Amino acid sequence: MTAPVFVSPDLAAAAPGATLVLDGPEGRHAVSVKRLRVGEEVVLTDGAGLGVRARVDALEGRDRLVVRVAEVLAEPEPAPRITVVQALPKGDRGELAVETMTETGVDGVVPWQAARCVTQWKGERGAKALHKWRATAREAGKQSRRLRFPEVAEARTTKQVAELLRAADFAAVLHEEGSLPLAAARLPAAGSVVLVVGPEGGVSPEELALFGEAGAKPYRLGPTVLRTSTAGTAAAALLLGRSGRWG
């Protein structure tokens, strides 16, 4: 069984043989929920690519443990970087999408207020929803043993998404009527890949035209129509496999 992962922001000076303290909510989870014991192995990460493999040296109370670093770990910047622009689904399906895309390996998630979205992110409700997406990415990153968690950006408008697509090295819009199969798309070896996943009601003709002007062609994923909360995960898995990152 692989070692559990916990978040620790202060790893820049970590070196083999050094001791580190894990406390607060992460320490409480390690001691009171995971019930770790002295001698067990853990991995600490800052969520930005830096981590350490360590062993528990001591337990202090119910929310604090001391670990001794055995190895410093580093996860390189991904190439190509894969970002999914996710239209806002209803209910908790947004968190489901973020969770499974994180476990699959996406590098960035951009919430998108598409024209046909039923859900609206406004004011305090929008801030709370964004916080949930980011917390989900963090927890899913730990669960899937990642050292580099995906960045969940602020929600974007359609025009802002178009600018993101224009700057990408490869840009695509998932569309059931796309004439091009995503499985046959030519992907860059480096740079950025941006994939747009529309809402349950689909990408509007106006949005599709604007994205086309920005260089994003419509691609079909397969013979079936997936829900917006699962399409991004399926497409990301395909791209990760074809790009060589799952090699």
Side-chain angles (χ1 to χ4, degrees), residues 33 39 120 173 212 228 244:
V33 179
Q120 300 286 318
V173 181
T228 184

Side-chain angles (χ1 to χ4, degrees), residues 47-132:
L50 180 63
V52 299
R53 193 177 305 280
R55 290 196 179 277
V56 178
D57 247 13
L59 304 172
E60 300 175 355
R62 300 178 63 182
D63 62 355
R64 179 182 171 96
L65 70 164
V66 179
V67 303
R68 187 170 300 277
V69 177
E71 180 186 7
V72 176
L73 309 170
E75 186 175 304
E77 289 279 355
R81 176 182 171 83
I82 298 176
T83 298
V84 176
V85 176
Q86 175 66 58
L88 306 180
K90 294 181 290 185
D92 61 359
R93 287 187 172 275
E95 287 129 75
L96 173 64
V98 172
E99 179 180 54
T100 55
M101 287 191 292
T102 298
E103 292 172 358
T104 302
V106 301
D107 308 298
V109 179
V110 177
W112 171 39
Q113 187 72 63
R116 294 175 177 172
C117 283
V118 174
T119 299
Q120 300 286 318
W121 279 14
K122 293 181 179 179
E124 185 178 343
R125 178 181 179 181
K128 185 180 292 186
L130 179 60
H131 175 75
K132 285 183 177 180

Side-chain angles (χ1 to χ4, degrees), residues 179-246:
S179 60
L180 303 170
L182 189 62
R186 297 185 64 181
L187 303 177
S192 64
V193 170
V194 179
L195 179 70
V196 176
V197 177
E200 297 291 354
V203 180
S204 72
E206 295 78 13
E207 290 167 337
L208 202 60
L210 184 62
F211 294 161
E213 292 172 5
K217 296 179 181 179
Y219 286 84
R220 68 178 186 276
L221 186 54
T224 59
V225 178
L226 302 181
R227 299 196 71 154
T228 184
S229 53
T230 55
T233 299
L238 175 63
L239 294 178
L240 284 160
R242 294 196 60 243
S243 68
R245 285 179 52 181
W246 276 7

Side-chain angles (χ1 to χ4, degrees), residues 37 129 169 216:
R37 297 292 180 261
D169 295 286

